[in-house]
Every structure is written in structure tokens, then in C-alpha cells.
Amino acid sequence: MLNLIIAVLMSTLISVLMRLSERHGKGRVSMLMFNYMMCTALAAAFTSFRPAEGMSTTLSLGLVNGALYLGAFMLLQWNVTSNGVILSSTFMKLGVLVPTLLSLIAFGDVLSVPRAAGLALPVAAVLLMNGRSGQKTAVKSLPGLLLLLFVGGMADGMSKVHEQLGNTELNSLFLLITFGSALILCAAVCVFRRSRISKWDVIDGILIAVPNYFSTRFLLASLNSLPAVIAYPCFSAGVIAVTSLIGAYVFHERLSRRQWGAMLVIAAALVLLNL
């Protein structure tokens, strides 16, 4: 459980740093490139390059995961423009359903009745957290939102796939391949877009990379001791809860009654998922 708590805190720190970096511009692919560059360097520092069984599987899954990481980010940008930030963030967070269902269907994880209820509650919490009373948000591209949910969820779920099909001793190599391939693809996008690079792209990218890497590393480690049907919903709900509290008390963002209700739902979900 300690690994999962650290993963939640690191992921929350990513959101805080992203919020702080907004003053230097939004949607900066070049900043993301330096983020992946630093993540790749950190992964290399923790990786042993000794030959081990299952390296080909780790290589293949890491390459796929790197493409999913970048794809999820690009889809999020596109959906924010097309469908708005409320719907986009909602479907991004609902991606937790993908690795959870994958664990139930493909890997035979079993849910007790309380945990099944706890699994449903984060979905309700996300919808409450992102909803606004009396406001209608038009959906311009439902396929785009569903693709965001699937790709973002699969990016999270690849950690479970590697834990089941790969060699857990190669987790560090898996992360190295993931971030390295995302870096190469992101650099290609920057070249294609002819993105300009500022000093803040470098600084913000490096700062965000540290919690980004360790969030992924500790979430992967938590799957060694916790079922995915517990780890993923707890991770998603925990990040939402802690980020919301920081937003309220550090950035002075005001939470609606609906959002405070979502916080209570998240607390109930965490209790049920640990029964």
C-alpha cells in the first residue's frame, strides 16, 4: 500500500507543477519532450542492463506503451479543443475502467461484493467532480472522447500487462523503453510541427519529469502486492481527492457542493476497496 500512496502523491505533484507551468504557455509539446528526456535518463539510472529472461516481451510492451503515453496526451489536447476541458478530463479519468476490466476479464482477478461497489464509486465520483449544475456541455465528437478513454486507460493498463506477461525483474527496463520510445515519437512531432523551444520548456519539462517517472515506477511496484482491481481505482480516486484538496487550499480554487460530495464518495470507495 505504501507504493500506491507514493504513486498518488507523485501523480498529484505532476498536476501541481503542470498548473504552475501554465503561466509559461499551454499545450507545449516541446515541454513534454524534455519531460520524456528526463524520465528516460532517470529510468536508465535505475536500469540494470544484464541479460534476463523475457527481454523481448519487455521491449515490445515498452514500445507499445510509449506510443500510448504520447497518444493519450495528443488526444487530450485535441479533445479539449473539440469537446471542452470538462468532458475531456472526465473521460480521461474514466480510463481507470480499462485496466480494471482488463484485470477482471483477461487475468482472472476476482471482486468481492464490497470491492465491486468500491469499483463503481470512483466512476460516480469522477462524474460528480467534473459536473456543473445547470450547465449543458455539448459533445462534438463522442468517438474522440471514447478513444481518449481507451488510449489513456490502456497506457495505465500496460503496467498490469507487463506484470502478468513479462518479467517483473525487468520493470526498470520496461520504464526505460516506455519513456525512451515516447521521447523519440515526441521529438518527431516537435520536428514536424517546427516547435520552438524556450528555456521554460526545458525547466518545466525536467521538473515535471521527476514525479512523472516515480509515479509510474511506484504504481508498477504496487501491482506486485495489490490486485489491479484495487490498485487502479484507488490510484485514480486518490489523485482526484488529493489534487482537489491542494487546489482548494493552495491555489484557492472553490469547490462546489457537488465536488465536495464527490470527495465523500471517493472516501467511501477507498474504504470499500480495502475490505
Side-chain angles (χ1 to χ4, degrees):
M1 182 61 74
L2 179 60
N3 287 326
L4 187 59
I5 292 173
I6 295 175
V8 168
L9 294 177
M10 290 293 101
S11 186
T12 302
L13 184 56
I14 295 172
S15 298
V16 172
L17 292 173
M18 288 289 286
R19 169 68 185 273
L20 292 173
S21 72
E22 285 182 354
R23 55 189 155 182
H24 306 135
K26 297 182 180 181
R28 295 173 293 155
V29 179
S30 51
M31 184 268 287
L32 187 68
M33 180 180 68
F34 285 99
N35 164 64
Y36 287 140
M37 186 180 296
M38 185 62 182
C39 285
T40 302
L42 288 170
F46 285 96
T47 299
S48 171
F49 293 94
R50 292 175 296 180
E53 183 180 355
M55 290 192 72
S56 59
T57 300
T58 295
L59 175 62
S60 300
L61 294 177
L63 290 172
V64 172
N65 203 28
L68 289 171
Y69 266 41
L70 183 60
F73 176 81
M74 301 300 289
L75 281 169
L76 179 60
Q77 279 194 317
W78 184 85
N79 274 285
V80 166
T81 301
S82 298
N83 294 304
V85 68
I86 297 174
L87 286 172
S88 300
S89 60
T90 298
F91 275 75
M92 185 73 172
K93 291 168 185 173
L94 284 175
V96 68
L97 295 175
V98 175
T100 304
L101 292 175
L102 181 67
S103 299
L104 291 171
I105 297 170
F107 302 123
D109 286 350
V110 179
L111 275 179
S112 63
V113 174
R115 286 178 179 173
L119 177 61
L121 285 178
V123 180
V126 169
L127 294 174
L128 279 171
M129 186 68 69
N130 289 278
R132 291 184 181 178
S133 301
Q135 179 177 349
K136 295 182 180 180
T137 305
V139 178
K140 294 182 179 178
S141 177
L142 181 59
L145 289 170
L146 294 176
L147 189 58
L148 173 63
L149 184 153
F150 177 76
V151 174
M154 283 301 300
D156 290 333
M158 288 302 293
S159 296
K160 176 64 177 179
V161 174
H162 184 262
E163 191 261 341
Q164 289 289 325
L165 302 181
N167 184 349
T168 55
E169 295 179 0
L170 297 175
N171 280 351
S172 294
L173 179 61
F174 172 69
L175 294 181
L176 175 60
I177 301 302
T178 294
F179 288 118
S181 57
L183 169 61
I184 294 171
L185 291 172
C186 192
V189 172
C190 286
V191 171
F192 178 77
R193 290 186 174 184
R194 298 180 180 178
S195 301
R196 294 183 178 180
I197 298 175
S198 71
K199 67 175 183 179
W200 289 113
D201 291 331
V202 180
I203 294 172
D204 292 336
I206 291 175
L207 288 176
I208 293 170
V210 176
N212 189 13
Y213 171 77
F214 284 106
S215 173
T216 307
R217 183 181 179 87
F218 282 104
L219 178 59
L220 188 59
S222 71
L223 295 174
N224 293 329
S225 56
L226 292 173
V229 292
I230 295 178
Y232 283 116
C234 280
F235 176 73
S236 181
V239 170
I240 294 170
V242 178
T243 302
S244 298
L245 288 173
I246 291 176
Y249 292 104
V250 176
F251 296 110
H252 305 292
E253 296 179 356
R254 299 180 63 182
L255 296 181
S256 65
R257 291 181 181 179
R258 178 191 293 269
Q259 290 170 324
W260 280 116
M263 299 284 285
L264 295 177
V265 172
I266 288 169
L270 293 175
V271 172
L272 290 171
L273 287 165
N274 286 280
L275 291 179

